[in-house]
């Protein structure tokens, strides 16, 4: 581990490097990075437990440090305690984010995958769809297009009217008649 009281390659102390980096000196910040990247990485690795996340946390730590430099006044001789504190916060944030992502992913999987397959429901739905399609096939070409645009593709009346070159009222009235016709054609007998 780096000796916190040691001077950097440039001969500057951590306090001098922090002050220079705070004033925008990228070389001073690079010297801090070189001096402390390895210890910060190992702290992160100990907290997050794997190489990829530790590397990400190390980078996030130095990015956060760069942002905080303008108001930073180094209290001791070493920047390491400050960087380790930032690293601990970044690690905790990453762990929370991963836990939240896992919980959300598990919840999404639970919502999208049915626990059982209802074959009867699938057969009834397929039969109903087939009856609707047979009935739609008996409609005029204009009515088939109105049904396709409004019922199947979700067009609004005005958008369908513009697409077909007819009036808004024509689309609305024809779609109403189509729906009534389909309802009576597919309703079970005896209702």
């Amino acid at each position: 581990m780096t000796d916190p009281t040691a001077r950097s390659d440039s001969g500057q102390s951590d306090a001098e490097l922090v002050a220079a980096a705070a004033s925008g000196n990228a070389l001073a910040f690079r010297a801090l990075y070189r001096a402390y990247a390895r210890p910060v990485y190992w702290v992160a690795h100990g907290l997050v437990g794997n190489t990829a996340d530790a590397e990400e946390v190390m980078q996030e730590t130095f990015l956060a440090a760069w942002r905080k430099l303008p108001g930073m006044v180094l209290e001791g001789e070493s920047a390491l305690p400050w960087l380790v504190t930032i690293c601990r916060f970044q690690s905790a944030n990453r762990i929370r984010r991963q836990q939240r992502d896992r919980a959300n992913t598990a919840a999404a999987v639970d919502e999208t995958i049915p626990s059982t397959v209802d074959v009867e429901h699938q057969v009834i739905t397929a039969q109903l769809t087939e009856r609707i399609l047979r009935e739609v096939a008996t409609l005029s070409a204009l009515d088939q297009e109105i049904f396709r645009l409004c019922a199947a593709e979700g067009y609004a009346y005005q958008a369908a009217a513009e697409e077909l070159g007819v009036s808004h009222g024509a689309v609305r009235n024809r779609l109403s008649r189509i729906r009534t016709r389909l309802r009576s054609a597919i309703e079970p007998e005896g209702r």
Side-chain angles (χ1 to χ4, degrees), residues 77-98:
E77 303 229 353
S78 173
L80 185 59
W82 175 62
L83 291 168
V84 166
T85 300
I86 295 171
C87 178
R88 288 179 190 273
F89 283 117
Q90 294 299 325
S91 297
N93 288 342
R94 178 164 287 272
I95 291 167
R96 276 193 298 274
R97 197 168 39 248
Q98 289 172 337

Side-chain angles (χ1 to χ4, degrees), residues 73-134:
V73 176
L74 192 61
E75 295 296 325
E77 303 229 353
S78 173
L80 185 59
W82 175 62
L83 291 168
V84 166
T85 300
I86 295 171
C87 178
R88 288 179 190 273
F89 283 117
Q90 294 299 325
S91 297
N93 288 342
R94 178 164 287 272
I95 291 167
R96 276 193 298 274
R97 197 168 39 248
Q98 289 172 337
Q99 289 170 340
R100 184 180 59 241
D101 290 347
R102 278 193 295 272
N104 290 339
T105 302
V109 168
D110 289 345
E111 292 173 4
T112 58
I113 300 175
S115 58
T116 60
V117 176
D118 186 352
V119 176
E120 181 182 6
H121 177 72
Q122 288 179 343
V123 169
I124 291 170
T125 302
Q127 290 173 346
L128 181 59
T129 302
E130 183 61 35
R131 286 169 58 192
I132 290 170
L133 291 175
R134 273 197 316 266

Side-chain angles (χ1 to χ4, degrees), residues 131-141 144 147 181-182:
R131 286 169 58 192
I132 290 170
L133 291 175
R134 273 197 316 266
E135 190 63 32
V136 168
T138 66
L139 300 173
S140 70
Q144 286 181 22
F147 179 81
R181 183 174 170 180
L182 290 175

Side-chain angles (χ1 to χ4, degrees), residues 4-18 20 27-28 30-32 34-35 77:
T5 59
R7 293 188 167 270
S8 70
D9 295 340
S10 65
Q12 293 178 299
S13 69
D14 283 3
E16 292 166 331
L17 289 172
V18 167
L27 292 175
R30 187 175 300 145
L32 284 170
R34 284 188 188 131
E77 303 229 353

